[in-house]
Amino acid sequence: MDSIDIGLWVTGGLLLMVVLGMRVAFAAGLAGLVGLVWIFWAKFGYAPDKLGKAVTVSVKIAGQVPHSKVSSQALSLIPTFILIGYLAYYAGLTKALFEAAKRWIAWVPGGLAVSTVFATAGFAAVSGASVATSAVFARIAIPEMLAIGYNKRFAAGVVAAAGTLASLIPPSAILVIYAIIVEQDVGKLLLAGFIPGAFSAVVYVLLIVGIAVIFKNVGPPVTGFTWRQRFESLPGALPIVFVIVIIICFVYNPFGGDAWGTPTEGGALGAFVVFLMALYHGMRWSELKNALLETAKLTVMIFTIIWGVLIYVRFLGFADLPGAFADWITSLTMSPMLILVCILLAYAVLGMFMDAIGMLLLTLPVVYPAVMALNGGEAVTAADSAFGMSGTMCAIWFGILVVKMAEFCLITPPIGLNCFVVAGVRPDLSVQDVFRGVMPFFIADGITIALLVAFPSIVLYLPRLAQ
Amino acid sequence: VEWNVSLWGKRRAFTEHVEKLAELVSEKTGGEFTLNISYGGLSKNKENLDGISIGAFEMAQFCAGYHRDKNRAITVLELPFLGVSNLDEEVAVSQAVYSHPAVQEEMAQWSARLLMPSPMPQYNIVGTGEPRDQLAEFDGMRVRATGGIGQAFSAVGGVPTSVTATEAYNAMESGVVDTVAFAQHAHLAYGTINRADWWTANLNPGTVNCPVVVNIDAYEALSPEHREALDSSVDGAVGHYLENYGKLLDKWDSVLTEKNVTKVELAEGELDAFRKVAADPIREKWIADMSAQGLPAQDLYELVMATLKQQRGN
Amino acid sequence: MAGQASVLEDQSLLSRFDRWLLSLEQALALLSGLAVFSLMVLAVVSVGGRNTANMPLPGYVDWIEQVMPLVAFMGISYVQRDGSHIRMDIVVGRLHGRALWFVEMLTVLLVLVLMVALVWGSWAHFQRSFDFSAPLWSRDSSIDIGIPIWPAKLLAPVAFSVLCVRLVLQVWGYGRAFVLGLANPVAVPLIQDTVAQAAAEAEQLEGQE
Ligand code: NA
Ligand code: NA
């Protein structure tokens, strides 16, 4: 049996364990460990007296991975981004944002829903995680929408969909994870998420306005705020602007001249600003302790998946499966663009059943080299490439597409975490209600993804500027 | 027989000797003995020596500066201002040190046998703004330099600053560092040359040492013909590396012109002053520390000097 | 999907072990949280030092790499205790009674096998970096300022050992439920249906605002 077969058998075993309900991180780690033993024993010719040696070598290889992989400066962005989100609750940023958005823009058709999207997009600039974002806005925005006669399914759908913006608009834990798996510049990827995130928000807004104009029952505009009231709402939302400016300027300085530091520093300083805000807002040790414990919990969950899956990936490296898959993809006679669309569709199907981070970690080690090979390799120039962009730019573009797909999966049935959370916050809403309410946004996301595929410059404009 | 080889990054000038070695060995044995090269799939670069010691793969490349405590003896080759001026000299001093019994003994603790060096040119710095060609101008300079080279700069008031190689470009762009010390191929690969206004042509502060090693058990398990094929291919592989890197160095001057980068030459007096405050104390401290740990440090240093002298005598 | 669940308690020996271990797990998780906080402080010190006194924190990257294992590992058992490690519970969620306890016990046993192996492997990884006869006991040091790495490497086998103890308790708990055919066993995370679980998550946020 050659190593490709071993790779396929072990992958099958991994899927079985995942379906059986074994925690994804450990299932991946165990599959990787067993796979390594198999590969090494095969190398020793399956001699019975060599099994012990195969186990020893494999255990030692697997035992390196946790420390080796988590002690990375780039990964330190993830806990910081998560901490920002938790501190932001205590700083009162969410309420302030929604209030400001309401006073300034709720006069358009579907006004409160539009305000919700904008406020969520603003909160996305300090929050690195989609699910947390939806949970917060479900409590702030849905009651207000229902109070003025919104369809409750629609109101829930708006919040579930808008929460997904948090993973495109920087900071974003999932973009950092992508950057690490594919070994690309974290700063450029974060930067690249900015326009597609804003673009998604605009598509959501246009959809809402369209629906509000056609179906009058969606929700009336909210008018009557004075200019004085509008300006009074701004100071509360100001820290968000601070954080955005800090993070962006530490990655790339749009005002001309040098950036201010590295993304790692930017993330940490952003957290510090929000921390000071929260202190000012009345946070004390017991709340801070709570925030730290919650941050630790989410961080450990993510890191356990990271090293667990990377043990499996180390096994794939020894089995050379990624290389074989890349060879197979490039040998296909379909057009590269068609193959890319098929890959994205496969992600849509997989994402219906899987968690976003787990999905990316499991698939990218195999899919990413294949997509890069499809474009013509890492070092290809734009002129010689299949998608008309250099290797680095293709890595960034594909990253944004994949993350957008992963976000889309947060709102698709049967497993759409954002919808579950919104339904959880609102006892009067069933999960089915939320899935029904979020359906119009499938169209918006479909349009967004199609446009990002057709016009890569939407993604690549900022990274190219920063070069 | 198939050997797994753990490298990292992408195929580049720095890995050409391993690629050539694989080609030669396979040729000589009619495909019976092959080297299966993996770029990062088998291990992280800082753990290649661990992988060799475990027996995870049979051949690997690593750099001494990544983990000085793992390989104290060969760090003699990373002392600042050794006076190595070209790649041929770097090969000669590396091979001399690699054959020293104390060095081999330390590597044997990792089940590793030193096969060949990956000679690197001197880590001259690129910087932005006005060229720094006086020692006084290094005062307060934030420089991305690790190990002995970093220590050398701090001896003249420089501020060694931690950034990873991949963040070096960002760090330079953002003013986190003023200057970056790299070999030429890395200045090209990590794009630091694109931010540079000047490059020091004759500072020659030192370099890093990155050997290619093989697992001792695997090496000893080879049949005599296969071992002969491997050993006899080393010279050809290193020769190919030198030729290839030489081309890159020839291209270097045209890159400087094209990017409008000034070539900075420091006056001999300035260099002497630098060596005096940086090279001598750091070397003396290294010898004292390593001797205290039972390594023949003085011996190793003198071996380097003697080899250099001999190489120049030829 | 996330699989957060509740853990029941009573006066049995198993439950007392569970609570005793929980207090250790909570302390370790808080250590993780404080480590995240220290990442923020490190950056502020480094950026501040650089811009005010031209004194960036020496070895900033090295220090981050030392802190990360603290962030990543110390809470692992705390998260396992209430079943928060991510999993797919489409299938498990449909099971009841003995079938459920059997599958849970089986998967936890498999996790235990993995973690025992990883305690061994990560201990070996630590041992290669540790040498009693060397200065600072160090046989592996960081790239920039040369600090010993063995303390950071030691964190993995330590945290994984605590997790192994937790897994043994859970095997005991599920095994007991399977043998006795219990409806609501103690000391193991019980699946809530997804909606109740989301409500619990949301409640947690509520407390924080
Ligand atoms: Na975000
Ligand atoms: Na889904």
Side-chain angles (χ1 to χ4, degrees):
Chain A
M1 188 172 305
D2 71 2
S3 58
I4 308 286
D5 291 326
I6 298 179
L8 294 175
W9 274 104
V10 168
T11 305
L14 167 59
L15 292 180
L16 183 69
M17 286 190 283
V18 169
V19 169
L20 260 185
M22 190 161 162
R23 315 275 160 191
V24 173
F26 303 121
L30 188 61
L33 179 61
V34 170
L36 281 168
V37 172
W38 195 343
I39 287 270
F40 275 93
W41 201 29
K43 189 170 176 174
F44 303 148
Y46 297 109
D49 61 322
K50 289 290 178 65
L51 178 59
K53 193 179 169 201
V55 170
T56 309
V57 173
S58 308
V59 164
K60 287 183 176 175
I61 293 175
Q64 285 183 307
V65 173
H67 171 270
S68 161
K69 289 298 178 177
V70 305
S71 50
S72 122
Q73 185 201 10
L75 278 179
S76 75
L77 276 169
I78 293 175
T80 351
F81 285 174
I82 293 172
L83 183 64
I84 299 186
Y86 280 108
L87 291 174
Y89 299 126
Y90 294 106
L93 285 177
T94 39
K95 278 215 171 83
L97 263 178
F98 184 65
E99 200 52 39
K102 190 172 81 182
R103 292 186 193 181
W104 283 85
I105 41 184
W107 51 268
V108 300
L112 268 189
V114 172
S115 308
T116 304
V117 171
F118 277 122
T120 316
F123 188 67
V126 292
S127 166
S130 296
V131 178
T133 309
S134 281
V136 181
F137 278 90
R139 252 172 308 108
I140 297 173
I142 294 181
E144 298 220 21
M145 285 193 263
L146 296 190
I148 61 166
Y150 269 66
N151 175 315
K152 70 175 181 177
R153 287 176 181 162
F154 181 70
V158 169
V159 171
T164 66
L165 295 174
S167 291
L168 277 176
I169 298 176
S172 158
I174 202 159
L175 271 175
V176 174
I177 291 171
Y178 174 85
I180 306 233
I181 305 176
V182 307
E183 294 177 334
Q184 289 292 331
D185 183 34
V186 176
K188 286 220 181 72
L189 264 157
L190 289 176
L191 204 56
F194 199 79
I195 293 181
F199 186 79
S200 295
V202 170
V203 175
Y204 286 164
V205 165
L206 291 178
L207 181 88
I208 292 168
V209 173
I211 291 175
V213 168
I214 298 167
F215 308 98
K216 295 286 182 220
N217 64 343
V218 157
V222 181
T223 49
F225 287 110
T226 66
W227 283 102
R228 189 196 163 93
Q229 282 171 318
R230 284 177 179 170
F231 280 106
E232 274 170 359
S233 72
L234 288 183
L238 216 54
I240 296 271
V241 180
F242 262 163
V243 176
I244 296 175
V245 168
I246 286 174
I247 291 177
I248 291 280
C249 288
F250 268 78
V251 175
Y252 157 71
N253 188 344
F255 309 119
D258 291 339
W260 301 353
T262 60
T264 325
E265 294 170 344
L269 282 192
F272 189 66
V273 170
V274 180
F275 170 68
L276 293 182
M277 269 304 295
L279 276 186
Y280 176 77
H281 209 251
M283 180 182 71
R284 292 299 170 259
W285 168 242
S286 68
E287 291 97 0
L288 177 62
K289 185 180 156 187
N290 227 325
L292 291 180
L293 264 180
E294 288 303 316
T295 303
K297 230 171 127 171
L298 193 52
T299 305
V300 168
M301 273 166 57
I302 292 175
F303 274 94
T304 308
I305 295 199
I306 288 177
W307 63 249
V309 170
L310 286 176
I311 291 177
Y312 169 73
V313 168
R314 178 61 39 90
F315 150 69
L316 288 183
F318 276 90
D320 200 28
L321 210 58
F325 186 69
D327 289 346
W328 177 69
I329 287 277
T330 43
S331 73
L332 295 176
T333 49
M334 285 192 280
S335 86
M337 189 51 96
L338 192 60
I339 298 178
L340 180 75
V341 170
C342 288
I343 290 176
L344 292 178
L345 286 177
Y347 269 115
V349 174
L350 195 60
M352 288 167 76
F353 304 98
M354 276 203 74
D355 163 77
I357 292 173
M359 177 172 93
L360 292 195
L361 278 165
L362 278 177
T363 56
L364 281 176
V366 177
V367 173
Y368 172 76
V371 170
M372 292 305 279
L374 208 54
N375 187 45
E378 301 252 354
V380 74
T381 59
D384 300 330
S385 65
F387 300 126
M389 61 188 80
S390 69
T392 317
M393 287 298 147
C394 180
I396 295 175
W397 180 55
F398 182 63
I400 299 298
L401 289 178
V402 167
V403 169
K404 181 69 193 172
M405 287 311 299
E407 292 308 294
F408 176 55
C409 298
L410 285 177
I411 55 171
T412 55
I415 307 219
L417 212 50
N418 271 16
C419 297
F420 289 162
V421 166
V422 171
V425 175
R426 303 285 314 179
D428 54 326
L429 281 164
S430 73
V431 177
Q432 284 69 29
D433 286 333
V434 186
F435 276 130
R436 229 166 274 168
V438 90
M439 253 166 218
F441 294 93
F442 295 175
I443 302 167
D445 275 347
I447 292 173
T448 305
I449 291 164
L451 288 174
L452 295 183
V453 170
F455 304 104
S457 347
I458 304 173
V459 176
L460 299 178
Y461 177 73
L462 280 180
R464 277 186 182 138
L465 265 190
Q467 265 197 327
Chain B
V1 181
E2 181 176 281
W3 272 18
N4 281 326
V5 183
S6 176
L7 309 182
W8 68 88
K10 295 165 188 158
R11 182 171 176 169
R12 58 202 186 283
F14 183 59
T15 61
E16 272 310 308
H17 52 336
V18 184
E19 295 280 357
K20 186 71 183 179
L21 189 70
E23 199 184 302
L24 291 175
V25 167
S26 170
E27 228 168 66
K28 285 183 186 173
T29 60
E32 275 182 20
F33 180 19
T34 54
L35 302 183
N36 182 16
I37 299 173
S38 167
Y39 286 92
L42 309 182
S43 174
K44 178 165 150 183
N45 52 14
K46 287 184 198 168
E47 261 125 37
N48 268 345
L49 203 46
D50 291 78
I52 287 288
S53 124
I54 294 170
F57 32 80
E58 289 80 9
M59 189 185 289
Q61 185 181 31
F62 67 90
C63 292
Y66 288 170
H67 32 54
R68 276 164 270 161
D69 287 357
K70 278 183 186 169
N71 40 242
R72 295 178 169 89
I74 52 171
T75 55
V76 67
L77 293 163
E78 298 194 345
L79 284 175
F81 296 109
L82 277 180
V84 174
S85 52
N86 59 48
L87 292 183
D88 288 323
E89 290 180 7
E90 185 67 29
V91 173
V93 294
S94 297
Q95 279 172 342
V97 168
Y98 292 176
S99 350
H100 192 284
V103 172
Q104 295 188 340
E105 192 189 321
E106 188 178 45
M107 279 299 115
Q109 293 173 13
W110 296 97
S111 312
R113 179 194 157 88
L114 292 152
L115 187 70
M116 59 181 178
S118 320
M120 295 275 263
Q122 293 287 309
Y123 268 38
N124 277 299
I125 59 177
V126 297
T128 49
E130 281 301 299
R132 305 190 191 227
D133 52 6
Q134 313 259 317
L135 210 46
E137 288 164 351
F138 290 147
D139 191 32
M141 173 180 83
R142 291 195 294 264
V143 55
R144 189 272 175 197
T146 54
I149 304 172
Q151 287 170 14
F153 281 111
S154 68
V156 291
V159 184
T161 303
S162 318
V163 288
T164 58
T166 43
E167 259 194 332
Y169 177 87
N170 268 64
M172 226 176 143
E173 185 184 40
S174 60
V176 169
V177 298
D178 307 313
T179 53
V180 174
F182 269 153
Q184 281 89 334
H185 82 269
H187 278 312
L188 292 171
Y190 294 111
T192 42
I193 192 65
N194 303 326
R195 289 293 303 182
D197 295 320
W198 49 272
W199 172 75
T200 59
N202 69 337
L203 185 61
N204 297 344
T207 185
V208 298
N209 194 268
C210 307
V212 175
V213 295
V214 296
N215 176 284
I216 290 177
D217 295 337
Y219 180 77
E220 283 171 358
L222 286 178
S223 68
E225 306 83 66
H226 288 173
R227 197 182 308 172
E228 158 63 20
L230 178 67
D231 288 341
S232 66
S233 300
V234 166
D235 284 342
V238 173
H240 171 77
Y241 178 104
L242 291 175
E243 190 190 329
N244 182 62
Y245 213 112
K247 279 186 214 147
L248 192 146
L249 291 182
D250 290 342
K251 211 179 72 184
W252 181 250
D253 275 333
S254 63
V255 171
L256 292 183
T257 321
E258 179 198 322
K259 313 250 178 205
N260 207 7
V261 177
T262 313
K263 231 171 157 172
V264 176
E265 303 261 357
L266 280 85
E268 201 49 46
E270 293 290 310
L271 289 173
D272 277 339
F274 197 168
R275 286 183 204 121
K276 197 169 191 128
V277 289
D280 299 349
I282 291 173
R283 182 183 65 243
E284 277 152 26
K285 185 169 184 312
W286 184 85
I287 292 177
D289 287 352
M290 293 301 140
S291 302
Q293 291 174 41
L295 283 173
Q298 185 69 39
D299 242 37
L300 286 168
Y301 175 66
E302 278 165 14
L303 176 63
V304 172
M305 288 301 119
T307 313
L308 266 185
K309 208 167 168 187
Q310 193 191 3
Q311 178 76 10
R312 283 175 192 164
N314 285 351
Chain C
M1 188 85 197
Q4 183 147 52
S6 52
V7 179
L8 300 178
E9 301 174 352
D10 67 9
Q11 286 312 307
S12 65
L13 183 64
L14 176 59
S15 184
R16 274 182 287 149
F17 271 138
D18 165 53
R19 275 167 289 166
W20 172 81
L21 190 58
L22 175 62
S23 56
L24 174 67
E25 288 166 338
Q26 262 167 340
L28 292 178
L30 186 60
L31 203 61
S32 256
L34 288 170
V36 178
F37 195 78
S38 77
L39 283 178
M40 188 176 89
V41 175
L42 273 178
V44 173
V45 169
S46 185
V47 176
R50 185 173 73 225
N51 291 329
T52 59
N54 198 22
M55 292 259 298
L57 185 65
Y60 174 49
V61 175
D62 289 14
W63 287 114
I64 292 181
E65 291 183 356
Q66 296 283 305
V67 171
M68 284 307 288
L70 212 53
V71 171
F73 300 140
M74 297 325 277
I76 189 167
S77 187
Y78 180 64
V79 178
Q80 176 69 20
R81 194 258 177 181
D82 62 7
S84 296
H85 283 294
I86 290 173
R87 71 159 164 185
M88 267 178 70
D89 48 15
I90 315 187
V91 173
V92 192
R94 307 236 160 126
L95 298 178
H96 297 283
R98 285 207 157 99
L100 174 63
W101 307 137
F102 178 76
V103 170
E104 294 276 28
M105 187 180 66
L106 180 74
T107 53
V108 171
L109 257 176
L110 288 176
V111 178
L112 182 59
V113 169
L114 172 73
M115 292 320 296
V116 168
L118 286 182
V119 169
W120 169 17
S122 60
W123 175 260
H125 191 50
F126 154 74
Q127 262 191 332
R128 284 193 300 273
S129 69
F130 186 84
D131 180 356
F132 256 125
S133 61
L136 299 172
W137 299 339
S138 171
R139 206 156 79 102
D140 187 6
S141 48
S142 67
I143 187 165
D144 194 11
I145 53 171
I147 39 180
I149 294 184
W150 63 263
K153 286 188 175 171
L154 184 57
L155 293 174
V158 166
F160 294 173
S161 300
V162 177
L163 176 60
C164 284
V165 176
R166 166 58 62 196
L167 292 167
V168 168
L169 283 188
Q170 291 187 344
V171 171
W172 178 3
Y174 285 126
R176 193 168 151 265
F178 174 67
V179 172
L180 303 177
L182 301 177
N184 292 306
V186 292
V188 292
L190 301 175
I191 306 178
Q192 303 166 305
D193 68 39
T194 327
V195 178
Q197 161 199 325
E201 248 168 59
E203 233 166 70
Q204 234 166 12
L205 296 180
E206 197 102 49
Q208 290 176 7
E209 197 136 23

